[in-house]
Amino acid sequence: MEIKVVKFGGSSLADANQFKKVKEIVTAEESRRYVVASAPGKRSDDDIKVTDLLYKCFELAIAKKDISEVFDKIVERYNGIIKDLDLDLSLEEELETIRAGIIHRASRDYVASRGEYLNAIIMANYLGYDFIDAESCIFFKEDGSLDTEKTNKVLSDILLEHQRAVFPGFYGCTNEGTIKTFSRGGSDITGSIVARAIHADIYENWTDVSGMLMADPRIVKNPKTIEVITYGELRELSYMGASVMHEDAIFPVKVANIPINIKNTNAPSDPGTMIVPATSISAPNIITGIAGKKGFSIINIEKDMMNAEIGFGRKVLEVLENHNVCFEHLPSGIDTMSVVISTDELRNTKYEMVAEIAKVVNADRVTVEEGIALVAVVGRSMEKAKGTACRLFTSIASKDINIKMIDQGSSERNIIIGVDEHDYQDAINAIYSEFVK
Ligand code: ADP
Ligand code: ASP
Ligand code: MG
């Protein structure tokens, strides 16, 4: 029998009405046997996600302030869902344990994880499915990374004992037995882990848009939906800010070649986006999608004859390594080298690093330019299409936007450009209009 793992995001579980839609979706197909639940998300634009309320409680407790007002909002959210669904369930005991935990300085990750924990208990009760706590089957290593093999083994064994179950997303457990969360949006990863462990035929990721769009709908008006996208393309777009799915959610399903279908809880009959290992279907446009992020800085290093100096790049990168700083891109010319880094990473170490780089390579000049936005143009069809870069740069130039940096991966599947943050939205719109007809 076909098996589907279905993950519902926060907006799909924000209130009782959304729970009802979810139940209809789950029960519409026998194969939808394993459900991954997020914490309740926003009910309207000015609402607050339960996860954010929990982080707020944690901060208040650390500052030795009263958490009652914020915590009561959380209690109201869950009790409201239970009441409106008319469930024979009480979470009073769990809520009191969590309240006491926060006051007595439970860890930040434990506090945040309770959002999905409670929501999954409600969903399991509502669907009549078993509840499986992610704490018992998703494991992290000492260095904070997912213990993929242990998780897969333990989870596969547990799943054999449950025909139908609900899992809380977003968290797991360290070897010391403490709760640890993924980064924000991490319930997508939980869904992917469960899909791999049960050898699902498909991983359905249900959200509030009818699939992955060619650009962020907050920037481009009515962008087209991407019908089919490869794992590789999705990873590049999600890493660069197309936030519909967590960028690391690809890895577990990739091992098992399980396709992902992004679907809309509010429009379940829309086909959504299929994410597949590879496809011979050529994309309807040369580009598959555009994504981007603000908040980058470029360190520009200049030195005459740099090209002939052996070990130049290594010395620069060693400075970054010593400061525990990751870089995003490394475009270089003959006598110049640029390092693109997230401005947040640079915050505490900027002046020290610049001085050290200047010293270790004896540079003529080292400057830092902040306020850079990166825009990624991704597409499997770009490899074969001649003139893509020319069209891309011309479209941006025609809007009088200055390109500060260009990087093209050797896969030719993406081109990344750096522009001033003020030009970010205009650059994305210019590229979209050029390539999408
Ligand atoms: P969930 O709560 O279901 O996990 P998210 O908020 O994490 O949902 O992701 C869905 C949101 O991602 C959409 O509402 C949309 O605003 C945003 N988004 C950003 N870029 C894109 C894109 N390229 N395609 C679709 N949605 C996008
Ligand atoms: N609730 C968590 C968050 O808001 C995880 C998730 O929604 O995937 O980030
Ligand atoms: Mg999400």
Side-chain angles (χ1 to χ4, degrees):
M1 180 183 152
E2 195 187 33
I3 298 178
K4 290 186 176 179
V5 170
V6 287
K7 177 258 167 179
F8 292 90
S11 51
S12 305
L13 297 169
D15 59 20
N17 200 29
Q18 292 301 90
F19 267 68
K20 287 178 190 166
K21 292 183 193 169
V22 167
K23 187 170 187 173
E24 261 183 45
I25 291 166
V26 173
T27 51
E29 289 190 24
E30 272 283 291
S31 55
R32 294 188 174 129
R33 286 169 44 191
Y34 299 99
V35 177
V36 174
S38 289
K42 291 183 178 196
R43 293 161 293 184
S44 58
D45 281 350
D46 54 4
D47 198 14
I48 306 176
K49 290 178 168 191
V50 165
T51 309
D52 290 313
L53 292 173
L54 286 162
Y55 280 127
K56 181 81 197 152
C57 285
F58 173 80
E59 278 153 24
L60 287 169
I62 289 292
K64 298 201 177 102
K65 291 193 179 143
D66 187 13
I67 66 163
S68 307
E69 200 186 320
V70 183
F71 195 78
D72 287 349
K73 285 189 189 154
I74 298 172
V75 174
E76 263 171 47
R77 295 285 304 259
Y78 290 109
N79 284 344
I81 295 172
I82 292 172
K83 182 170 162 283
D84 293 346
L85 293 177
D86 208 12
L87 299 179
D88 182 17
L89 172 72
S90 166
L91 290 179
E92 294 306 323
E93 223 174 272
E94 277 86 354
L95 285 162
E96 274 323 299
T97 308
I98 296 165
R99 187 197 292 267
I102 298 174
I103 293 168
H104 294 107
R105 308 280 177 80
S107 75
R108 188 171 188 269
D109 280 12
Y110 165 82
V111 175
S113 74
R114 298 302 87 185
E116 346 292 293
Y117 171 76
L118 295 170
N119 228 22
I121 293 178
I122 300 178
M123 183 52 81
N125 181 291
Y126 184 46
L127 293 174
Y129 280 23
D130 299 338
F131 168 78
I132 301 178
D133 195 345
E135 187 185 355
S136 64
C137 50
I138 292 185
F139 301 101
F140 291 93
K141 294 189 206 159
E142 230 164 81
D143 65 4
S145 63
L146 179 71
D147 192 337
T148 316
E149 292 320 311
K150 180 175 173 190
T151 298
N152 196 47
K153 167 91 190 60
V154 174
L155 184 54
S156 303
D157 290 347
I158 289 180
L159 282 164
L160 290 177
E161 294 158 23
H162 300 270
Q163 278 297 307
R164 294 176 184 276
V166 179
F167 293 81
F170 191 37
Y171 70 94
C173 185
T174 64
N175 283 330
E176 287 80 46
T178 53
I179 297 280
K180 177 169 166 51
T181 64
F182 294 106
S183 55
R184 296 299 304 263
S187 301
D188 293 328
I189 308 173
T190 310
S192 184
I193 292 169
V194 176
R196 178 190 171 194
I198 194 68
H199 304 291
D201 295 278
I202 192 160
Y203 167 30
E204 288 180 347
N205 189 292
W206 291 82
T207 180
D208 62 351
V209 277
S210 290
M212 177 106 183
L213 303 168
M214 287 191 73
D216 188 331
R218 292 160 295 191
I219 297 176
V220 173
K221 211 166 155 224
N222 291 326
K224 287 192 177 167
T225 303
I226 302 170
E227 284 170 33
V228 181
I229 184 171
T230 63
Y231 290 153
E233 289 172 310
L234 180 92
R235 167 119 174 108
E236 311 236 17
L237 286 172
S238 53
Y239 181 74
M240 282 302 291
S243 58
V244 67
M245 229 174 87
H246 194 292
E247 74 249 26
D248 293 344
I250 288 297
F251 296 116
V253 287
K254 193 174 170 188
V255 178
N257 278 337
I258 299 166
I260 307 171
N261 191 188
I262 299 182
K263 298 270 287 175
N264 190 347
T265 302
N266 306 315
S269 54
D270 286 357
T273 299
M274 283 302 294
I275 306 163
V276 295
T279 177
S280 52
I281 303 172
S282 60
N285 301 283
I286 290 172
I287 65 167
T288 304
I290 311 163
K293 278 200 253 188
K294 291 183 180 177
F296 292 93
S297 295
I298 304 180
I299 303 183
N300 289 306
I301 307 153
E302 291 172 40
K303 185 178 184 189
D304 283 350
M305 305 286 287
M306 170 194 294
N307 62 320
E309 203 175 310
I310 289 168
F312 189 97
R314 178 185 49 78
K315 288 179 200 159
V316 171
L317 295 184
E318 244 169 28
V319 174
L320 266 61
E321 194 177 342
N322 293 341
H323 286 272
N324 212 12
V325 165
C326 279
F327 71 94
E328 301 283 328
H329 301 281
L330 202 63
S332 37
I334 304 173
D335 296 329
T336 60
M337 179 171 168
S338 302
V339 192
V340 183
I341 300 174
S342 139
T343 305
D344 275 347
E345 287 254 352
L346 216 53
R347 189 135 288 141
N348 301 323
T349 55
K350 184 170 108 183
Y351 295 108
E352 263 174 73
M353 273 185 22
V354 166
E356 279 174 41
I357 290 173
K359 192 171 161 212
V360 293
V361 296
N362 198 14
D364 296 336
R365 215 157 81 102
V366 182
T367 52
V368 181
E369 204 174 346
E370 293 185 356
I372 301 291
L374 296 182
V375 176
V377 183
V378 176
R380 58 185 179 277
S381 308
M382 278 165 44
E383 277 173 55
K384 294 169 217 120
K386 293 197 180 80
T388 309
C390 173
R391 283 177 66 189
L392 174 63
F393 302 140
T394 310
S395 70
I396 293 176
S398 71
K399 294 283 182 269
D400 213 16
I401 296 171
N402 183 21
I403 299 179
K404 309 232 169 203
M405 189 267 324
I406 301 168
D407 201 2
Q408 177 170 31
S410 57
S411 69
E412 290 185 45
R413 195 171 56 200
N414 74 357
I415 299 176
I416 293 178
I417 56 163
V419 295
D420 195 291
E421 282 181 352
H422 296 119
D423 294 325
Y424 173 64
Q425 306 225 356
D426 289 344
I428 292 184
N429 274 296
I431 301 166
Y432 187 86
S433 323
E434 170 61 33
F435 286 98
V436 188
K437 304 290 174 210

